[in-house]
Amino acid sequence: MNREDIEQLEKVTGKIEGLHREITLLAKKSSSDGLNSFKLRLVNGALAAANEILGDEHQPVEGFTQFDADDVPSNSDVTVVLAVYLEELERYRSDLLTFSSGIHWYVFDDNTKLRAAEPKRLKGK
Amino acid sequence: MGFFNLPLISPRLTDFHGVYIPQADLAFAVPHFDEDIPLYLDPFLLWASPSQQDQALHTSLINAFNQLGDSYRRGNEDAAVDTLTRASECDEVGLGSSARRKGKRIGEKKAREILELFKRIPQYKQAGFRHFEEIQFFVEDISKDRISDIACNFLKSFLIDFTIDECQRLGIPTAASNVPDLYDYRQYGFSAAKGIQLPVNPETGDPLILVPKRWLRFTPWINYDDYYRHHCPLDEISHDPEDIGRVEVLAYNRDNYGAVERYIVEKERTFSDCANDPLFSQIPIVSAKRKLKLIQNLKTGKTDNADRDYEDALCQLLPSLLYPQLDFAAAQSRTESGAQIRDLVFYNNQSHEFLKHLMDGYGSRQLVFEMKNVAEVSRDHINQLNRYMTDTLGKFGVLVTRHPLKKARMQNTIDLWAGQRRTIVTLTDADIAQMVELFESGQRLPLDVVKKKYVEFTRLCPS
């Protein structure tokens, strides 16, 4: 693991969080409405990047890689999938962390360290 | 040519000749071979048009009409009556409400009555008409179709040029045709023209003339009903509403031209509100949602005419949801093994890649949507639609019903694909709801839902 990997991971997570936040608003307005092709392209782009990082081991939804525009996915379909991806990305990130001196760290191949946020599932515990 | 001999449902000129362009993208109203288009040429649209060409055509139209009056007043009565009679019907354009594309000319008496206006009403005697639609206010039995036909006849030479241009542009075949009544401005009269290259009605061999859709309205801007309801000084005619009939109003107008003139001035002043009517207008979103709700609340079966209500609601909903990708052709009923079946037929314009795929893969020149308000689709229902899917309808059909198909019925449709490469997809209440949702939001095309169902179906088929 090197710094670029973490940067990539954070970038993709940020992207999916943003999409999730916005599409959740649309889903609240009308859950069965379809997502237009532009937004769908954005979502698929983010999912492809996430799939590459997560690999087979951390595949969030079995047998699913991307949305097919022909299926006319609805706002709520997309929200659910993005939420599952966010969970899995966080689980993947947690697995990378090293805990020492009461702090979570990313430890890189060149033995440098970077302070990391604590895993979300531990928050408030 | 054999390809084109297949019977289309409510055949149109363009589809018949393999020109697959939606009505919305064409400059003219596409004529139907077996019925008229329920719109009328409104001369006021030419007057109000910003185009100098249209205004000039209006001027020549009015000149031609006033010339008739002039000639009548100068003693050439029989010739003027004959010309007006010949001008009173224009079958080539196919506008109006006739189901057979054939109309009747006015009689000699009626023509004389119209031309008498040039003698009877001083304003017309001196200055002629500014809008010849005004004859509706003085002569009985003159309505929008007559106004439209007279205008078409005086403009026919231009319309023929327009038709030839459009046919050349689109590659619609034409044939040397005879036009019995063509107005000649040099002779102020009609003469027969031979050998004009026009498209023809394949059933009758009669020539067809196209009309720009920018000139068409359901009712003329200047019309009797509007005058009667909002402008006619009824109190001056009689204080007893029972006594005010059309005849009384017309008689009053003849002696009180001022009332008509005020109306015309008012209509000219508000000309910017006068627009052509579209050949098809979608129902508003609110109304689409109401129809959806009605469908969702209906019981399945025939109780309380639920089947009829279901079909009626879909007949109004689907053409709007699928416009402009699919032009609506007809809602038609047929009977098969004693059961009444209603379906919606659309022209396949191939204006969307999915529709093009249906044409290439299934030979669907028209698409059929069969409606079934049943709790459960039976094997018979599927067979009925399957038998219907022939020739122009191709091997693709849509079954619109309330609930998803049961597993066994789904298997029937898959078997049809496996055995005969025919595809039947089903639209349920949930799909219609999604189509309405997309219609409202505009995020995707409602047609995409039909495509989705098709893609889902093909995934189930053995590869």
Side-chain angles (χ1 to χ4, degrees):
Chain A
M1 177 172 70
N2 53 36
R3 278 173 193 268
E4 282 81 48
D5 293 337
I6 295 303
E7 257 174 42
Q8 199 59 30
L9 173 66
E10 288 185 348
K11 189 175 164 191
V12 169
T13 311
K15 219 187 244 182
I16 293 185
E17 273 173 357
L19 287 168
H20 181 253
R21 197 167 49 236
E22 291 305 318
I23 295 170
T24 304
L25 292 179
L26 293 178
K28 278 185 180 151
K29 194 169 155 244
S30 58
S31 59
S32 57
D33 191 8
L35 216 59
N36 69 21
S37 49
F38 173 73
K39 293 194 197 83
L40 211 53
R41 259 205 315 277
L42 287 183
V43 169
N44 276 338
L47 292 183
N51 286 335
E52 200 172 311
I53 293 171
L54 294 171
D56 288 345
E57 204 183 321
H58 283 274
Q59 197 180 30
V61 187
E62 213 169 310
F64 174 93
T65 49
Q66 279 198 339
F67 286 105
D68 187 340
D70 288 343
D71 289 334
V72 195
S74 68
N75 290 329
S76 68
D77 295 344
V78 177
T79 322
V80 168
V81 168
L82 290 178
V84 174
Y85 264 77
L86 281 178
E87 286 296 325
E88 195 58 38
L89 282 165
E90 176 57 20
R91 204 168 78 84
Y92 173 78
R93 192 186 72 91
S94 309
D95 288 355
L96 298 177
L97 298 178
T98 312
F99 188 67
S100 70
S101 319
I103 292 172
H104 291 89
W105 304 92
Y106 295 119
V107 180
F108 299 116
D109 294 343
D110 56 5
N111 276 331
T112 54
K113 294 202 293 190
L114 180 70
R115 194 172 169 163
E118 68 171 320
K120 276 187 185 150
R121 61 171 183 262
L122 295 183
K123 267 192 185 157
K125 283 190 181 166
Chain B
M1 196 61 194
F3 181 69
F4 297 131
N5 288 335
L6 300 172
L8 285 160
I9 291 156
S10 186
R12 296 191 302 183
L13 177 68
T14 46
D15 302 81
F16 184 81
H17 291 298
V19 174
Y20 299 109
I21 301 178
Q23 171 67 75
D25 296 342
L26 289 168
F28 57 91
V30 183
H32 291 240
F33 292 144
D34 52 4
E35 60 189 352
D36 281 352
I37 306 166
L39 284 172
Y40 302 90
L41 190 152
D42 184 359
F44 193 86
L45 281 167
L46 280 84
W47 182 89
S49 164
S51 141
Q52 189 184 7
Q53 176 194 255
D54 289 3
Q55 291 171 18
L57 285 169
H58 186 260
T59 306
S60 62
L61 163 64
I62 293 299
N63 283 348
F65 190 77
N66 285 335
Q67 197 284 327
L68 274 185
D70 194 47
S71 150
Y72 184 80
R73 278 196 299 115
R74 285 171 196 277
N76 300 324
E77 293 191 3
D78 290 345
V81 166
D82 180 56
T83 307
L84 185 58
T85 313
R86 287 177 82 172
S88 66
E89 189 56 51
C90 187
D91 287 333
E92 294 98 335
V93 293
L95 300 175
S97 50
S98 159
R100 293 168 296 117
R101 284 192 65 102
K102 277 267 176 251
K104 265 196 179 142
R105 289 177 171 177
I106 55 172
E108 189 197 322
K109 208 173 135 212
K110 192 59 64 185
R112 218 168 265 284
E113 203 181 327
I114 295 171
L115 291 167
E116 274 298 318
L117 294 174
F118 285 97
K119 287 185 177 171
R120 177 124 183 352
I121 294 171
Q123 281 81 358
Y124 295 149
K125 196 172 173 180
Q126 282 163 16
F129 282 82
R130 275 169 59 72
H131 297 281
F132 86 92
E133 305 93 291
E134 292 168 30
I135 57 174
Q136 304 168 76
F137 304 128
F138 307 102
V139 182
E140 220 181 332
D141 296 334
I142 296 295
S143 57
K144 51 192 178 184
D145 51 342
R146 204 54 81 186
I147 301 287
S148 169
D149 277 344
I150 293 175
C152 286
N153 266 317
F154 285 129
L155 297 172
K156 206 184 270 173
S157 180
F158 171 82
L159 294 175
I160 287 175
D161 290 343
F162 175 77
T163 305
I164 293 171
D165 278 352
E166 288 293 322
C167 287
Q168 278 177 352
R169 196 170 63 80
L170 297 169
I172 294 173
T174 53
S177 315
N178 296 337
V179 177
D181 300 301
L182 185 62
Y183 190 73
D184 183 343
Y185 282 90
R186 273 173 297 199
Q187 295 171 10
Y188 298 127
F190 285 96
S191 54
K194 287 192 177 131
I196 300 180
Q197 287 293 329
L198 287 175
V200 292
N201 185 334
E203 284 158 32
T204 59
D206 293 337
L208 297 170
I209 293 181
L210 309 177
V211 184
K213 62 180 186 187
R214 67 174 188 276
W215 294 349
L216 300 179
R217 275 175 65 88
F218 286 112
T219 48
W221 182 243
I222 293 172
N223 69 76
Y224 177 83
D225 289 335
D226 179 39
Y227 169 73
Y228 177 79
R229 224 170 291 141
H230 305 297
H231 298 270
C232 182
L234 297 176
D235 276 350
E236 289 183 26
I237 300 172
S238 168
H239 291 298
D240 184 358
E242 297 273 303
D243 288 345
I244 307 179
R246 196 175 179 116
V247 177
E248 286 74 23
V249 174
L250 299 183
Y252 171 84
N253 289 343
R254 282 196 280 268
D255 294 325
N256 298 274
Y257 177 70
V260 174
E261 191 178 29
R262 277 194 298 279
Y263 171 67
I264 300 296
V265 168
E266 169 70 13
K267 295 304 267 186
E268 282 188 349
R269 198 173 58 76
T270 52
F271 80 93
S272 56
D273 295 339
C274 174
N276 62 320
D277 284 323
L279 281 108
F280 176 81
S281 36
Q282 287 172 298
I283 57 171
I285 288 163
V286 188
S287 165
K289 285 169 123 175
R290 213 174 292 141
K291 292 267 176 302
L292 173 66
K293 204 157 192 182
L294 188 143
I295 290 173
Q296 287 171 332
N297 291 336
L298 277 176
K299 289 196 177 105
T300 52
K302 293 176 190 286
T303 325
D304 297 334
N305 276 334
D307 55 339
R308 197 86 207 168
D309 292 344
Y310 178 70
E311 291 159 2
D312 288 347
L314 282 174
C315 281
Q316 292 175 40
L317 195 55
L318 281 175
S320 280
L321 295 180
L322 298 169
Y323 182 85
Q325 290 79 34
L326 286 172
D327 278 339
F328 178 56
Q332 59 170 30
S333 305
R334 62 199 161 92
T335 327
E336 197 168 306
S337 10
Q340 175 85 1
I341 301 164
R342 278 183 83 197
D343 46 40
L344 294 167
V345 181
F346 293 87
Y347 300 106
N348 184 1
N349 305 311
Q350 306 178 49
S351 55
H352 187 279
E353 33 121 14
F354 170 57
L355 297 175
K356 196 160 165 27
H357 172 76
L358 294 185
M359 176 72 182
D360 298 342
Y362 296 91
S364 299
R365 297 178 70 204
Q366 296 191 308
L367 291 184
V368 61
F369 286 65
E370 186 169 311
M371 301 170 284
K372 280 270 165 265
N373 186 37
V374 289
E376 191 183 331
V377 169
S378 70
R379 182 194 289 264
D380 273 353
H381 295 142
I382 290 175
N383 288 339
Q384 278 166 1
L385 177 57
N386 183 37
R387 277 197 293 275
Y388 193 45
M389 284 155 43
T390 49
D391 297 344
T392 54
L393 293 175
K395 294 179 172 178
F396 179 87
V398 182
L399 195 61
V400 190
T401 184
R402 306 299 302 273
H403 308 296
L405 297 189
K406 287 269 159 57
K407 209 170 167 197
R409 295 294 83 80
M410 196 53 155
Q411 193 55 48
N412 288 154
T413 62
I414 293 171
D415 292 345
L416 271 179
W417 187 85
Q420 308 172 31
R421 289 292 183 266
R422 286 161 175 266
T423 294
I424 293 179
V425 302
T426 321
L427 290 180
T428 62
D429 280 4
D431 300 316
I432 301 290
Q434 193 178 18
M435 288 171 83
V436 171
E437 189 99 42
L438 297 180
F439 179 58
E440 183 188 6
S441 72
Q443 294 286 311
R444 298 276 302 255
L445 300 174
L447 180 66
D448 284 343
V449 176
V450 183
K451 185 182 175 194
K452 171 183 98 166
K453 298 296 284 190
Y454 171 69
V455 171
E456 282 174 7
F457 176 79
T458 52
R459 282 179 195 149
L460 294 173
C461 292
S463 51

